[in-house]
Amino acid sequence: MQDCIFCKIVKGEIPSIRIYEDDRVLAFADINPITTGHTLIIPKAHAADIWEISAEDLTAIAAASKKVADAIRTALAPAGMAVAQLNGRAVNQVVMHYHMHLIPRREEDPELPMTAWELKPGDMDLIRQTAGKISAAIG
Ligand code: AMP
Ligand code: ZN
């Protein structure tokens, strides 16, 4: 896609720090890292989000995430790692080209914001009803 910054990274039109690639996906360093080692994995074919990406590209992203996660563990020995992926402006997706974040955290790093939600018991009727709607919609 012409005006997409991550498509430009795929084509080499703007610089990136490449970590891994194959015919379907590219992994590169996030330039505003939340932690040391913060890495993004994207499909080479433009897709905005999880609803647009093909099952084949999503499978390739999953396989690459395993490779890169293993390498992050070997290289950086983090205490843990968050895997995050945002879909839509409503959840603060900023770059509208699908990307999976790998965010390793060392013990001494601050808590990652997206892992710090509070657990509150839900309304079991609503939980059941909503789960039923979702499972009924699976094609
Ligand atoms: P989000 O869309 O909120 O999931 O996050 C977009 C991510 O892309 C942010 O973490 C940015 O730091 C990162 N980002 C934006 N532009 C670049 C770039 N040119 N190279 C590497 N990372 C980028
Ligand atoms: Zn794109």
Side-chain angles (χ1 to χ4, degrees):
M1 191 182 257
Q2 215 170 18
D3 285 330
C4 171
I5 187 167
F6 285 178
C7 284
K8 287 184 180 165
I9 283 179
V10 169
K11 287 185 267 179
E13 291 172 5
I14 62 169
S16 66
I17 299 169
R18 294 182 176 230
I19 290 171
Y20 170 79
E21 70 182 298
D22 61 29
D23 52 339
R24 282 185 183 271
V25 311
L26 172 65
F28 57 99
D30 195 304
I31 51 166
N32 306 293
I34 299 176
T35 61
T36 300
H38 184 170
T39 301
L40 302 175
I41 309 181
I42 65 171
K44 288 185 171 176
H46 181 86
D49 51 34
I50 193 157
W51 296 293
E52 258 185 47
I53 192 171
S54 69
E56 292 77 11
D57 277 354
L58 198 52
T59 301
I61 295 271
S65 75
K66 171 67 177 152
K67 269 193 185 133
V68 177
D70 284 352
I72 287 173
R73 186 158 72 169
T74 302
L76 306 178
M81 186 173 74
V83 177
Q85 194 270 308
L86 309 177
N87 299 281
R89 301 267 185 223
V91 294
N92 293 334
Q93 182 180 1
V94 173
V95 177
M96 303 311 281
H97 179 130
Y98 179 105
H99 50 282
M100 175 186 278
H101 296 261
L102 300 184
I103 309 170
R105 179 176 174 264
R106 296 166 301 176
E107 218 64 81
E108 63 269 30
D109 287 331
E111 188 143 45
L112 302 179
M114 81 289 273
T115 65
W117 66 75
E118 193 189 339
L119 289 186
K120 287 193 201 138
D123 172 340
M124 290 312 291
D125 285 339
L126 183 59
I127 291 170
R128 263 188 222 98
Q129 204 184 75
T130 307
K133 278 190 199 165
I134 297 168
S135 66
I138 289 176

